[in-house]
């Protein structure tokens, strides 16, 4: 879903035919959305595809309604070589048309009719050919073990590379797809295949059932020597009369590894149907493991596509793969309702797709796998989003779209995690059953159509009987950027315990932003009573407010974000924070995470020094809950990298981490135990990474080096023995080996990658290589990222490594500048929005921000979305520098 603009090839474009046709009299070229006076009603898409070739061809036939007299219409197409345009009018008369590539970069195209046509139904047939895309967008080509495949990724605006059409989400129509492919290949699409016919000369034509109304970005198909495996049938329910066929699709030879994911899928679908009271709406469900993919996964109705490692799972796969696989599958299946059945009207409401899928995925996971603690994932996701949302250069959830760059950069933590947290917060405020009632009404009202934020908020408001205040509060989080910052102060007044509240925008030290902002914050606070604690809630929709804490003990303590469910940060007087710190073990896990965030936020705000932070977070490190015990690592690592001035200070900090985590590491051991809880495997992974690669504890490194050496040993067939290491620790073990053994380890891994098809093993090799420290070897690893044996979607794993020190960042920067054109040429998968952070992320000085700005000054306009990525990466670097300077000039207290 993310990409660069390719350098344009301006040959063979423009006037293909009927050169004598006159251009239209009026220039009404759309600058944003297409006009609504030509409305598509259905598509017939014919493709002739052989993945072994470089090009494909097709004919797109669109039935449409012309709603005003016109001699042309507007639609989308990019890099299509059109040979013929035929317009058939309502009377059956054909007209030769002309395809005019008016804005090749945006993909806006004019079809000239040659004469004025009255309002009527038309059929428009466009015959063309195009290259199979090399950058993971539109109809693109990938290889697995030397065999080529062709598959699609249309979201957000890449359908126009695959076929001409009205490539905007509000044009929902049925599609009929026909694939003409070589006899020995398999073709799949959104719907069931209904016909197969011989097409001569070794070709066959497959016809697929007509779809429900879909936007262009959800059309999907694939061609290649795929393995197709049957999964368990998804049994019928009160919401769906017929059982649904479930299949797994993978590159040849990999299909047998899909059974685990397929076995989990029916329970996900049933949970979603129960919630929405609406049956799975398509005629089958295929999950496809893509050999190379730009995003994590894509929710195409009936044909959901994934990065292969998310689906190819074995019993001994790393625990984070198994969990990640479930979470992503639940996310994509949630989209079958929010996104696919009800689609956002325009990209400014992308959150209606993504925030809902993220929020709903957490609900499904909590139901089917409560041990995965999706409740804590939501809190952690929200806290990650709050870090990004503290920047002045952040987006709003509903950011106006001013160009294609805004569409591409909308797929970020604000849309997904902030959106999900805000939904969870208002769900908590109105109550789960009421919110569900509103959601069911929303799906029913807009099924197979489009919706906007107003539709959604109105549906929920109607279900709750809450009025304008509620709607305004909800919208205050959608339509303005930033994180509410609520100051709290306890006082005793006339025998009552009163909590005084005041709100502003959270801005870190050094920010140039304006703190004056106001939200409707549904605040819930927990406070101490004689026999435990109590929660009290109120909507804070003024700059100031008070809450009377009925039955509070005196003195009492307050946790201003009960259950961690609010999307806001809080600040308290130092004494109150200390009192809360003493109660921290009495708080629930989510509240302990909220406490950790409050400490981090105060540090970034400049109110606590580094030593205060470590003291305040220490009690969390002994929690039995993995997410809580590891919550201090974010703050710790920032301090370790940026505050420690010398080896002595670093050693002292390393002691802190060792005291906090080494006993747990030793207790877990360095190998997965038979039948152990997956949370133990995940903890082992996190602690090994922290202790071996961040603070470099010798005894932990020695254990991992043993595993790394074993994995690098050659087997009789000459291949590395990667299975010799613990599957959860393989990448870390290889990382330690790369640092300790240097060239021999780097060379062995570079030679092994092309021979390895297992995606988990590939990721571990890439992860190990990215830990390289020797400057010459680091250059070698970066150069390797540009060769074709590293998949386009894998490049970032190599290029984002090695950013801890200024010297490493300088080396990474110099290499990126020297290889900029090659990166841009290769990486359709990184959007321009990610390019600045890929090159200059992790910076902590004005010089780093400046050189990034200077470099992109002339280049940003050529890579879609780069402006926002540039602004955010530079701002992060400056904020880091400001806090670092404060810790240096005052006292970090280390
Ligand atoms: Zn999604």
């Amino acid at each position: 879903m993310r990409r660069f603009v390719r350098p344009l090839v301006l040959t063979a474009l423009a006037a293909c035919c009927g050169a004598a046709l006159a251009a239209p009299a009026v220039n009404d070229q759309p600058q944003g959305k297409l006009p609504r006076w030509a409305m598509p009603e259905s598509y017939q898409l014919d493709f002739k595809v052989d993945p072994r070739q470089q090009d494909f061809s097709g004919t797109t036939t669109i039935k449409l309604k012309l709603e005003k007299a016109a001699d042309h219409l507007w639609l989308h197409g990019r890099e299509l070589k059109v040979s013929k345009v035929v317009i058939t009018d309502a009377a059956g008369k054909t007209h030769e048309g002309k395809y005019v590539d008016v804005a090749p970069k945006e993909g806006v195209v004019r079809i000239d009719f040659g004469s004025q046509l009255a309002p009527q139904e038309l059929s428009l047939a466009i015959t063309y050919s195009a290259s199979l895309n090399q950058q993971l967008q539109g109809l693109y080509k990938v290889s697995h073990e030397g065999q080529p495949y062709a598959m699609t990724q249309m979201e957000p605006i890449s359908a126009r590379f695959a076929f001409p059409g009205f490539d905007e989400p509000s044009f929902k129509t049925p599609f009929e797809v026909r694939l003409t492919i070589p006899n020995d290949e398999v073709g799949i699409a959104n719907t069931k295949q209904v016909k197969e016919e011989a097409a001569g000369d070794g070709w066959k034509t497959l016809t697929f059932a007509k779809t429900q109304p879909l936007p262009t970005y959800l059309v999907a198909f694939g061609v290649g020597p795929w393995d197709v495996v049957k999964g368990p049938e998804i049994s019928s329910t009160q919401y769906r009369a017929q059982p649904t066929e479930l299949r797994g699709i993978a590159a040849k030879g990999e299909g047998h590894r899909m059974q685990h994911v397929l076995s989990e899928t029916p329970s996900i679908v049933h949970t979603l149907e129960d919630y929405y009271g609406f049956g799975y709406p398509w005629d089958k469900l295929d999950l496809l493991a893509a050999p190379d993919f730009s995003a994590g996964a894509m929710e195409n109705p009936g044909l959901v596509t994934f990065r292969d490692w998310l689906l190819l799972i074995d019993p001994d796969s790393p625990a984070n793969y198994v969990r990640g696989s479930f979470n992503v599958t639940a996310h994509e299946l949630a989209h079958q309702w929010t996104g696919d059945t009800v689609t956002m009207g325009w990209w400014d409401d992308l959150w209606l797709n993504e925030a809902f899928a993220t929020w709903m995925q957490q609900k499904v996971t909590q139901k089917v796998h409560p041990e995965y603690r999706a409740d804590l994932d939501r809190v952690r996701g929200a806290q990650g989003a709050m870090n990004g949302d503290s920047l002045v250069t952040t987006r709003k959830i509903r950011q106006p779209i001013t160009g294609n760059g805004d569409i591409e950069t909308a797929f970020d933590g604000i849309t997904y995690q902030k959106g999900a947290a805000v939904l969870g917060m208002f769900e908590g405020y109105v109550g789960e059953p009421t919110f569900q009632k509103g959601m069911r009404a929303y799906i029913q009202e807009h099924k197979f159509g489009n919706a906007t934020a107003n539709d959604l908020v109105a549906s929920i408001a109607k279900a709750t009987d809450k009025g304008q205040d509620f709607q305004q509060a909800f919208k205050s989080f959608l339509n303005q950027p930033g994180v509410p910052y609520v100051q709290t102060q306890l006082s005793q007044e006339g025998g009552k315990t009163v909590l005084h509240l005041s709100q502003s925008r959270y801005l870190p030290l050094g920010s140039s932003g304006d703190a004056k902002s106001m939200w409707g914050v549904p605040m819930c606070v927990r406070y101490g009573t004689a026999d435990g604690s109590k929660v009290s809630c109120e909507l804070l929709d003024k700059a100031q407010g008070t809450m009377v804490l009925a039955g509070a003990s005196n003195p009492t303590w307050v946790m201003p974000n009960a259950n961690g469910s609010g999307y806001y940060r809080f600040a308290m007087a130092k004494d109150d924070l200390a009192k809360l710190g003493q109660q921290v073990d009495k708080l629930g896990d989510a509240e302990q995470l909220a406490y950790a965030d409050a400490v981090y936020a105060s540090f970034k705000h400049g109110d606590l020094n580094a030593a205060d932070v470590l003291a305040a977070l220490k009690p969390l490190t002994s929690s039995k809950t993995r997410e809580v015990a590891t919550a201090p690592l974010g703050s710790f690592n920032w301090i370790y990298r940026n505050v420690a001035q010398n080896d002595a200070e670093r050693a002292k900090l390393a002691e802190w981490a060792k005291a906090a985590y080494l006993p747990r590491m030793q207790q877990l051991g360095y190998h997965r135990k038979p039948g152990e809880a997956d949370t133990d495997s995940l903890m082992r992974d996190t602690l090994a990474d922290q202790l071996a690669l961040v603070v470099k504890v010798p005894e932990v490194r020695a254990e991992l080096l043993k595993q790394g050496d074993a994995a690098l040993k050659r087997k009789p067939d000459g291949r590395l023995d990667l299975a010799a290491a613990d599957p959860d620790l393989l990448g870390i073990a290889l990382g330690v080996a790369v640092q300790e053994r240097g060239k021999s380890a780097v060379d062995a891994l570079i030679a092994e990658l092309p021979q390895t098809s297992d995606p988990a093993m590939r990721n571990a090799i890439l992860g190990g290589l990215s830990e390289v420290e020797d400057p010459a070897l680091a250059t070698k690893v970066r150069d390797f990222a540009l060769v074709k044996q590293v998949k386009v979607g894998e490049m970032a794993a190599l290029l984002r490594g090695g950013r801890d020190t200024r010297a490493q960042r300088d080396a990474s920067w110099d290499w990126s500048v020297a290889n900029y054109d090659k990166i841009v040429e290769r990486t359709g998968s990184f959007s321009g929005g990610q390019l600045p952070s890929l090159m200059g992320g992790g910076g902590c000085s004005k010089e780093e921000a400046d050189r990034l700005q200077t470099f992109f000054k002339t280049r940003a306009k050529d890579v879609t979305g780069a402006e926002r990525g540039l602004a955010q990466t530079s701002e992060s670097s400056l904020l880091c520098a400001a806090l670092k300077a404060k810790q240096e000039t005052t006292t970090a207290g280390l």
Side-chain angles (χ1 to χ4, degrees):
M1 294 196 281
R2 293 151 188 202
R3 67 188 156 74
F4 291 123
V5 174
R6 272 215 276 177
L8 285 164
V9 182
L10 282 166
T11 53
L13 291 174
C16 65
C17 38
L21 294 182
V26 191
N27 182 5
D28 59 350
Q29 181 184 338
Q31 294 307 314
K33 295 183 207 175
L34 295 177
R36 314 291 299 181
W37 47 263
M39 293 291 289
E41 295 177 325
S42 68
Y43 289 70
Q44 166 82 52
L45 301 181
D46 283 285
F47 296 97
K48 188 171 184 187
V49 185
D50 178 353
R52 288 164 285 214
Q53 307 292 320
Q54 296 309 314
D55 294 341
F56 69 98
S57 59
T59 297
T60 294
T61 309
I62 311 173
K63 281 217 169 69
L64 60 94
K65 197 164 180 191
L66 194 62
E67 290 178 346
K68 69 168 201 186
D71 60 357
H72 67 285
L73 60 77
W74 296 97
L75 44 68
H76 295 109
R78 272 188 82 175
E79 301 181 17
L80 306 177
K81 288 162 256 176
V82 173
S83 56
K84 196 168 166 192
V85 177
V86 177
I87 298 137
T88 308
D89 65 21
K93 193 176 161 221
T94 58
H95 309 249
E96 190 182 343
K98 183 173 151 189
Y99 179 96
V100 189
D101 218 328
V102 176
K105 196 173 154 188
E106 287 76 29
V108 176
V109 168
R110 195 182 67 223
I111 302 290
D112 292 346
F113 303 154
S115 61
Q116 185 87 350
L117 295 178
Q120 59 182 305
E121 306 251 333
L122 297 176
S123 163
L124 170 65
I126 301 173
T127 301
Y128 63 98
S129 66
S131 298
L132 286 169
N133 192 283
Q134 302 290 330
Q135 298 173 323
L136 313 182
Q137 57 183 320
L139 177 55
Y140 70 89
K141 182 170 176 162
V142 284
S143 287
H144 179 80
E145 304 212 311
Q147 283 186 295
Y149 296 77
M151 60 173 288
T152 56
Q153 171 58 35
M154 308 301 198
E155 194 183 27
I157 48 173
S158 291
R160 60 193 68 175
F161 285 100
F163 61 91
F166 295 76
D167 194 13
E168 292 177 7
S170 65
F171 294 109
K172 287 180 84 170
T173 80
F175 286 81
E176 268 185 280
V177 174
R178 268 200 308 242
L179 299 177
T180 298
I181 63 174
N183 276 334
D184 58 349
E185 305 249 301
V186 177
I188 51 234
N190 296 95
T191 50
K192 281 185 177 170
Q193 182 185 315
V194 292
K195 209 176 6 171
E196 175 176 335
E197 299 156 287
D201 284 341
W203 295 80
K204 62 186 175 185
T205 298
L206 312 179
T207 304
F208 297 88
K210 184 190 272 195
T211 69
Q212 295 274 13
L214 299 179
T216 43
Y217 82 84
L218 289 175
V219 171
F221 58 92
V223 179
W226 303 103
D227 275 357
V228 180
V229 300
K230 252 177 117 60
E233 202 172 65
I234 306 171
S235 60
S236 59
T237 60
Q238 57 169 310
Y239 308 111
R240 179 169 42 83
Q242 297 299 323
T244 298
E245 191 190 355
L246 171 66
R247 303 186 303 175
I249 311 222
K252 199 178 176 66
E254 306 290 348
H256 66 281
R257 302 183 64 194
M258 295 196 64
Q259 286 310 327
H260 171 77
V261 173
L262 293 171
S263 73
E264 296 265 37
T265 302
S267 61
I268 299 175
V269 172
H270 288 146
T271 304
L272 289 160
E273 290 180 321
D274 282 347
Y275 185 84
Y276 287 115
F278 191 91
Y280 174 79
W282 328 114
D283 69 355
K284 53 100 178 165
L285 175 58
D286 290 337
L287 307 183
L288 182 148
D292 199 1
F293 202 65
S294 58
M298 178 65 207
E299 66 265 23
N300 310 299
L303 177 56
V304 185
T305 46
F306 297 74
R307 244 176 219 240
D308 52 7
W309 67 259
L310 287 162
L311 295 185
L312 306 179
I313 301 285
D314 296 325
D316 61 351
S317 289
N320 57 1
Y321 283 52
V322 177
R323 241 188 223 206
S325 163
F326 185 88
N327 286 333
V328 176
T329 308
H331 176 103
E332 302 309 328
L333 293 178
H335 270 308
Q336 307 299 308
W337 285 259
T338 51
D340 297 2
T341 303
V342 181
T343 306
M344 72 214 150
W346 180 236
W347 297 106
D348 58 356
D349 269 325
L350 180 65
W351 76 284
L352 285 178
N353 286 11
E354 297 301 349
F356 274 98
T358 305
W359 164 84
M360 193 66 209
Q361 163 230 308
Q362 290 155 347
K363 215 176 247 308
V364 170
T365 305
Q366 196 65 8
K367 177 110 190 277
V368 181
H369 282 295
E371 75 280 13
Y372 286 4
R373 299 302 305 266
D375 55 332
L376 301 183
D377 281 351
R378 179 173 300 163
V379 177
R380 293 197 302 173
Q383 293 177 350
M386 286 197 262
N387 293 335
D389 209 10
S390 303
L391 300 178
V392 178
T393 49
T394 187
R395 295 170 52 256
K396 304 167 190 170
I397 291 180
R398 297 193 73 231
Q399 182 73 27
I401 302 293
T402 59
N404 288 351
D406 286 327
I407 297 175
E408 308 246 2
T409 53
F411 295 82
D412 71 352
I414 299 302
T415 299
Y416 287 67
Q417 278 75 28
K418 178 180 181 180
V422 167
L423 289 171
M425 176 168 70
F426 282 98
E427 180 189 28
Y429 180 65
V430 304
E432 214 171 334
T434 307
F435 201 85
Q436 182 182 12
K437 201 172 130 201
M439 283 305 296
R440 285 182 164 208
Y442 168 78
I443 297 284
Q444 274 301 340
E445 251 167 70
H446 304 286
K447 61 186 172 198
F448 306 119
N450 295 95
T452 64
N454 285 342
D455 296 326
L456 185 274
V457 176
S459 290
I460 306 290
K462 196 170 160 201
T464 63
D465 279 334
K466 287 200 194 298
Q468 271 318 106
D469 287 0
F470 170 80
Q471 299 208 30
Q472 260 169 24
F474 205 140
K475 288 179 189 173
S476 73
F477 281 87
L478 303 178
N479 296 326
Q480 70 181 331
V483 185
Y485 196 38
V486 182
Q487 315 274 144
T488 64
Q489 180 92 50
L490 270 173
S491 70
Q492 291 296 323
E493 293 168 24
K496 288 180 181 159
T497 305
V498 180
L499 186 65
H500 292 269
L501 307 167
S502 67
Q503 63 163 311
S504 57
R505 177 175 178 181
Y506 176 80
L507 294 171
L509 181 84
S511 172
S512 61
D514 179 359
K516 254 188 260 122
S517 288
M518 209 158 40
W519 288 263
V521 188
M523 274 201 74
C524 291
V525 309
R526 183 184 300 282
Y527 57 94
T529 61
D531 49 359
S533 70
K534 226 171 134 175
V535 172
S536 176
C537 296
E538 213 158 282
L539 186 69
L540 174 66
D541 57 2
K542 311 244 167 359
Q544 250 116 47
T546 54
M547 277 170 102
V548 176
L549 306 182
S553 51
N554 184 14
T556 190
W557 54 268
V558 182
M559 157 43 75
N561 190 352
N563 303 315
S565 58
Y567 187 82
Y568 55 87
R569 284 183 151 155
F570 59 86
M572 22 181 37
K574 225 175 173 179
D575 283 358
D576 290 343
L577 187 63
K579 261 186 252 167
L580 179 60
Q582 287 153 21
Q583 307 296 326
V584 81
D585 57 339
K586 297 196 184 72
L587 302 176
D589 289 334
E591 289 172 354
Q592 295 194 36
L593 293 181
Y595 169 78
D597 182 69
V599 171
Y600 184 66
S602 292
F603 175 58
K604 290 276 178 132
H605 198 257
D607 302 335
L608 295 180
N609 72 13
D612 296 334
V613 169
L614 296 180
L617 293 179
K618 189 75 199 284
L620 300 182
T621 60
S622 55
S623 169
K624 295 217 166 4
T625 305
R626 180 180 60 91
E627 292 84 347
V628 174
T630 56
L633 291 178
S635 298
F636 174 85
N637 290 343
W638 198 96
I639 291 167
Y640 187 74
R641 282 176 185 143
N642 298 305
V643 180
Q645 300 282 324
N646 50 46
D647 287 348
E649 284 188 356
R650 261 184 292 279
K652 207 170 144 198
L653 283 168
E655 281 307 314
W656 186 95
K658 209 172 134 181
Y661 297 112
L662 187 59
R664 184 95 177 94
M665 182 80 239
Q666 287 164 334
Q667 188 199 338
L668 287 165
Y670 293 87
H671 286 279
R672 196 190 285 182
K673 300 180 178 76
E676 77 175 11
D678 80 326
T679 187
D680 284 346
S681 312
L682 293 171
M683 188 69 169
R684 178 181 296 114
D685 177 12
T686 306
L687 295 186
D689 184 64
Q690 179 68 27
L691 296 172
L693 294 174
V694 181
V695 295
K696 302 197 169 175
V697 176
E699 66 167 285
V700 180
R701 283 175 74 83
E703 288 290 340
L704 287 154
L705 184 59
K706 265 191 246 164
Q707 296 196 20
D709 283 343
L712 288 171
K713 225 165 150 181
R714 291 198 188 280
K715 296 184 289 184
D717 64 0
R719 299 282 305 278
L720 302 185
D721 192 8
L722 297 177
D726 180 88
D728 297 301
L729 301 184
L730 177 61
I732 302 166
L734 294 176
V736 174
V738 159
Q739 291 175 353
E740 297 290 333
R741 306 295 182 221
K743 185 169 183 307
S744 65
V746 168
D747 288 347
L749 292 175
I750 285 179
E752 183 71 12
L753 189 81
Q755 307 179 59
T756 309
S757 62
D758 181 309
M761 300 279 186
R762 288 182 71 91
N763 288 349
I765 293 172
L766 298 167
L769 285 171
S770 74
E771 295 298 336
V772 64
E773 288 175 330
D774 175 84
L777 292 174
T779 302
K780 188 170 192 177
V781 166
R782 292 189 187 103
D783 288 342
F784 182 53
L786 295 176
V787 308
K788 76 173 194 311
Q789 283 85 356
V790 174
K791 296 175 183 181
V792 173
E794 292 174 333
M795 290 176 64
L798 292 176
L799 298 183
R800 284 193 186 278
R803 300 286 172 96
D804 290 354
T805 65
R806 178 65 193 268
Q808 284 179 318
R809 294 197 295 274
D810 287 349
S812 164
W813 172 256
D814 291 344
W815 182 90
S816 303
V817 167
N819 290 281
Y820 178 75
D821 292 341
K822 288 184 201 153
I823 300 172
V824 173
E825 194 185 312
R826 228 192 141 212
T827 53
S829 67
F830 310 129
S831 75
Q834 289 170 314
L835 188 58
S837 79
L838 183 78
M839 293 177 66
C844 199
S845 65
K846 184 163 183 308
E847 299 93 75
E848 288 168 277
D850 286 348
R851 71 184 176 195
L852 194 66
Q853 288 286 353
T854 308
F855 181 79
F856 274 102
K857 198 169 179 188
T858 52
R859 293 173 177 89
K861 62 177 179 358
D862 297 328
V863 274
T864 314
E867 268 109 352
R868 188 174 304 283
L870 174 62
Q872 293 180 342
T873 307
S874 306
E875 188 185 352
S876 299
S877 191
L878 293 175
L879 290 174
C880 180
L883 185 58
K884 187 174 179 219
K886 178 171 163 116
Q887 296 292 321
E888 279 164 8
T889 52
T890 59
T891 165
L894 294 175

